[in-house]
């Protein structure tokens, strides 16, 4: 049985990749954001996960608007990144774990979810930037399973459906034959809107509610419709769905070990949160 040990959630703004490339971690604009990561790295060094389940939304690098799976799961032995047009560096190929990928795919399909299965999958800034933030200047010491959630092209799965999808993944991981230690890394959010009349919209009150609900009661987020989330959190604030899937995977009770909230980074209310699974 694989063991779910915790969930790290983080924003994934592309400009962070530029700041890493230009070594701006101590720059006054960036420091409050980058200061959120040493506590996560210390926890990872102690917790020593073998596999990271990455829950994120693809931004057009792998899936474009003409073909957009609601849920997609990677089952490749390794994953390449590529130029998305943001001008940020690509990273070395990242190792996958096809065995756990297929256990998850088979498990969720048996549980009445129907994800797209991807034996080749490009990973974008939503995966590469968190990897660079969590394991700077070294290859990530984890294999990954990418789980892509459509938060872009409507209609989207509801937050309630996303929570249930995560719970189905969590059950599949619990049934796995592997004895790997598994961390969930969910990326995106919090409130932001990149274009249109409300470009730059941020809602600290809604973000605070989401951060609290992630710890105590993720169903509180799942009660909002996607239209309500757009209204309260901006069009790209819907990336909270990735956090909700991740929290469903972690399941049960969780203890919050750390959070950092800083506005803005680019157009985004940036946040990191570390939850540790409470046994039982
Ligand atoms: C920004 C935020 C995102 O989540 C993203 O995917 C791209 C850009 C931003 O704030 O610039
Ligand atoms: Fe995004």
């Amino acid at each position: 049985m694989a063991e779910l040990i915790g969930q790290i959630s983080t924003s994934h703004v592309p400009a962070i990749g530029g700041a890493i490339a230009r070594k701006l971690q101590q720059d006054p604009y960036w420091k409050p954001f980058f200061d959120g990561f040493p506590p996560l790295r210390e926890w990872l060094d102690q917790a020593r996960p073998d596999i990271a389940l990455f829950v994120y939304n693809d931004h057009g690098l792998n899936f474009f608007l003409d073909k957009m799976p609601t849920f997609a799961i990677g089952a490749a032995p390794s994953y390449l990144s590529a130029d998305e047009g943001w001008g940020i560096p690509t990273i070395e190929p990242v190792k996958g774990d096809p065995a756990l990928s297929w256990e998850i795919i088979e498990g969720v399909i048996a549980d009445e979810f129907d994800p797209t299965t991807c034996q080749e999958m490009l990973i974008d800034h939503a995966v590469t930037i968190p990897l660079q933030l969590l394991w700077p200047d070294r290859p990530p010491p984890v294999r990954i399973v990418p789980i892509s959630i459509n938060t872009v092209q409507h209609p989207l799965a509801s937050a309630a459906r996303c929570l249930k999808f995560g719970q189905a993944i969590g059950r599949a991981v619990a049934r796995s034959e592997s004895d790997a230690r598994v961390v969930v890394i969910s990326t995106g959010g919090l409130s932001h809107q990149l274009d249109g009349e409300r470009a730059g919209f941020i809602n600290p009150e809604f973000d605070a509610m989401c951060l609290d609900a992630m710890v105590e009661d993720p169903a509180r987020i799942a009660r909002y419709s996607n239209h309500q989330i757009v209204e309260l959190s901006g069009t790209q604030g819907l990336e909270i769905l990735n956090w909700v899937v991740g929290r469903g995977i972690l399941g049960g009770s969780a203890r919050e070990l750390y959070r950092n909230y800083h506005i803005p980074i680019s157009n985004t209310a940036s946040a990191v949160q570390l939850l540790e699974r409470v046994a039982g």
Side-chain angles (χ1 to χ4, degrees):
M1 181 186 135
E3 188 189 355
L4 280 161
I5 56 174
Q7 177 180 11
I8 290 174
S9 304
T10 171
S11 307
H12 62 215
V13 178
I16 302 162
I20 293 172
R22 285 178 287 135
K23 301 198 184 333
L24 294 180
Q25 287 86 342
Q26 297 304 316
D27 177 275
Y29 177 86
W30 287 103
K31 190 173 171 7
F33 171 77
F34 280 101
D35 281 352
F37 286 84
L40 307 184
R41 291 179 204 137
E42 281 160 29
W43 180 81
L44 284 167
D45 282 345
Q46 283 178 7
R48 303 185 74 81
D50 306 297
I51 300 177
L53 306 184
F54 260 91
V55 189
Y56 67 103
N57 58 296
D58 183 88
H59 296 74
L61 180 67
N62 193 79
F63 304 117
F64 203 61
L65 301 182
D66 58 336
K67 299 181 194 69
M68 181 60 79
T70 300
F71 301 132
I73 301 180
S78 75
Y79 300 93
L80 301 180
S81 60
D83 184 2
E84 295 173 68
W86 300 103
I88 57 176
T90 55
I91 64 167
E92 291 296 308
V94 184
K95 282 202 186 80
D97 192 298
L100 185 63
S101 289
W102 285 113
E103 285 179 317
I104 291 172
I105 290 165
E106 286 177 15
V108 299
I109 290 178
D111 239 334
E112 303 184 357
F113 286 89
D114 309 299
T116 299
T117 57
C118 303
Q119 297 186 56
E120 281 181 13
M121 201 171 185
L122 291 173
I123 47 173
D124 74 7
H125 68 271
V127 177
T128 62
I129 287 175
L131 284 172
Q132 289 172 283
L133 287 166
L134 295 172
W135 293 283
D137 307 318
R138 60 172 167 144
V142 288
R143 305 182 295 282
I144 69 166
V145 175
I147 301 170
S148 166
I149 311 301
N150 174 22
T151 66
V152 175
Q153 170 86 323
H154 294 259
L156 315 179
S158 67
R161 178 87 177 144
C162 285
L163 185 60
K164 287 183 189 155
F165 180 55
Q167 288 162 346
I169 297 170
R171 286 192 289 275
V173 172
R175 285 193 300 265
S176 165
E177 283 179 12
S178 127
D179 55 6
R181 291 168 64 73
V182 178
V183 65
V184 182
I185 302 179
S186 33
T187 89
L190 290 175
S191 58
H192 62 303
Q193 170 141 349
L194 298 181
D195 48 25
E197 277 177 20
R198 294 202 309 162
F201 177 81
I202 277 173
N203 184 346
E205 290 77 28
F206 186 74
D207 292 339
M209 186 286 293
C210 289
L211 286 161
D212 291 343
M214 284 288 292
V215 188
E216 302 152 9
D217 181 18
R220 213 184 302 155
I221 307 172
R223 285 197 277 275
Y224 289 87
S225 73
N226 284 332
H227 283 103
Q228 288 172 318
I229 293 176
V230 169
E231 211 168 294
L232 289 162
S233 189
T235 41
Q236 279 72 36
L238 279 166
E239 291 176 350
I240 190 68
L241 296 176
N242 306 328
W243 291 43
V244 170
V245 172
R247 185 64 182 84
I249 299 174
L250 189 67
S253 309
R255 186 181 312 123
E256 182 179 48
L257 298 185
Y258 183 72
R259 82 164 67 162
N260 185 39
Y261 182 77
H262 174 69
I263 50 176
I265 287 296
S266 184
N267 284 299
T268 297
S270 74
V272 297
Q273 186 177 49
L274 168 60
L275 302 181
E276 188 172 60
R277 188 152 202 263
V278 178

